[in-house]
Amino acid sequence: MASKRANATASTRLRQDYMRIKKDPVPYIIGAEPLPSNILEWHYVIKGPENSLYEGGYYHGKLVFPKDFPFKPPKIMMMTPNGRFKTHTRLCLSISDFHPDTWNPAWSVSTILTGLLSFMLEKAPTLGSIETTDYQKKQFALNSLEYNLKDKTFTELFPDICKEIKELLDNQRDQNDPNEGTANNGEFLLPNDLNSENDNFVNGSTFANICVFVGFAVFALVVNYVIKAVTSEDEL
């Protein structure tokens, strides 16, 4: 019975949080929806803030609440590759289940998502965070649009956001080359792939420079031979 009471309490509280976040949305949190079949699992969408490394990106993640919420904190995960956090991995934050000792039952879903966004914009390491370059984070932001459209849960929970993303992609294709900002024909570009692409570029440039150098050397030898031949004829 205790478990059922706790589950009912969690459901009631999460419904209240849902109404609150719909009435008063959190900046840059453009989506927050529980699964229709399980109110304890929420999915969220963060839109990368302007003038940040995540600008233009759409980041999908999920919150998994315990049955005794709000007395215990949720698991927090990011699903969309982003360059800041590992995907499909529990994040160690003061508002997550890694730190029940710092959890405050008064914190709502809005509080959790606000804290997550704040930590995403920082560079402090934690369990579940990763190190990537600024360039890689911008590439992740570009690729996040098409990546999310391949996620079934994302498309089912956030049809309006999917429509928005498709319109953005159409505008990008009209203005730029269809493959610009993506790699491997639209496949997601991971950090190792980025390094490989850069290495290939450097290797290709080096090879081209060697070819130019050899060409100049051959040209110089030919010119020198012609000058010597002309000089020999004049002496004769």
Side-chain angles (χ1 to χ4, degrees):
M1 292 297 294
S3 176
K4 289 184 178 180
R5 284 197 298 271
N7 195 14
T9 300
S11 298
T12 300
R13 172 60 182 274
L14 287 171
R15 288 191 181 93
Q16 293 173 349
D17 282 1
Y18 183 77
M19 297 300 294
R20 187 179 297 115
I21 201 170
K22 288 298 182 182
K23 184 178 180 180
D24 187 18
V26 178
Y28 303 107
I29 307 299
I30 60 173
E33 297 286 341
L35 290 180
S37 60
N38 182 10
I39 197 172
L40 296 178
E41 181 175 322
W42 284 50
H43 288 250
Y44 62 84
V45 183
I46 295 175
K47 186 174 183 179
E50 297 84 355
N51 302 316
S52 75
L53 296 173
Y54 309 98
E55 182 176 2
Y58 288 71
Y59 304 97
H60 169 214
K62 69 178 180 179
L63 309 174
V64 181
F65 296 92
K67 289 183 177 181
D68 44 4
F69 180 81
F71 304 107
K72 289 185 179 180
K75 298 175 183 177
I76 303 176
M77 286 172 274
M78 189 74 76
M79 318 301 285
T80 307
N82 54 86
R84 176 68 170 107
F85 302 118
K86 295 179 181 179
T87 58
H88 306 275
T89 301
R90 290 165 57 213
L91 304 180
C92 180
L93 306 173
S94 60
I95 52 175
S96 74
D97 64 331
F98 271 93
H99 293 284
D101 52 317
T102 61
W103 171 253
N104 185 337
W107 290 344
S108 64
V109 173
S110 296
T111 306
I112 295 166
L113 293 175
T114 299
L116 173 62
L117 175 59
S118 177
F119 194 80
M120 183 177 180
L121 296 175
E122 297 175 3
K123 292 186 176 181
T126 188
L127 188 64
S129 65
I130 57 176
E131 291 288 335
T132 58
T133 65
D134 291 354
Y135 171 77
Q136 289 170 341
K137 288 184 177 68
K138 292 177 181 179
Q139 288 299 111
F140 281 118
L142 286 171
N143 289 330
S144 66
L145 281 69
E146 291 190 358
Y147 184 91
N148 288 326
L149 293 180
K150 298 175 183 178
D151 187 293
K152 182 180 179 182
T153 302
F154 182 91
T155 57
E156 289 178 350
L157 289 178
F158 307 108
D160 291 340
I161 297 176
C162 288
K163 182 179 179 181
E164 180 180 329
I165 289 176
K166 289 176 181 177
E167 290 175 353
L168 286 172
L169 289 172
D170 288 341
N171 291 334
Q172 289 177 7
R173 294 189 182 101
D174 290 340
Q175 297 174 6
N176 305 310
D177 184 274
N179 293 324
E180 188 173 345
T182 59
N184 302 325
N185 296 322
E187 292 182 7
F188 200 81
L189 194 60
L190 297 174
N192 289 337
D193 295 325
L194 286 171
N195 293 333
S196 177
E197 291 286 332
N198 291 335
D199 290 342
N200 291 337
F201 176 79
V202 172
N203 292 336
S205 299
T206 303
F207 178 74
N209 291 335
I210 291 174
C211 290
V212 172
F213 177 77
V214 171
F216 274 118
V218 172
F219 177 75
L221 289 173
V222 171
V223 171
N224 186 53
Y225 175 79
V226 171
I227 293 173
K228 286 183 177 181
V230 172
T231 303
S232 298
E233 290 179 359
D234 291 342
E235 290 177 353
L236 292 174

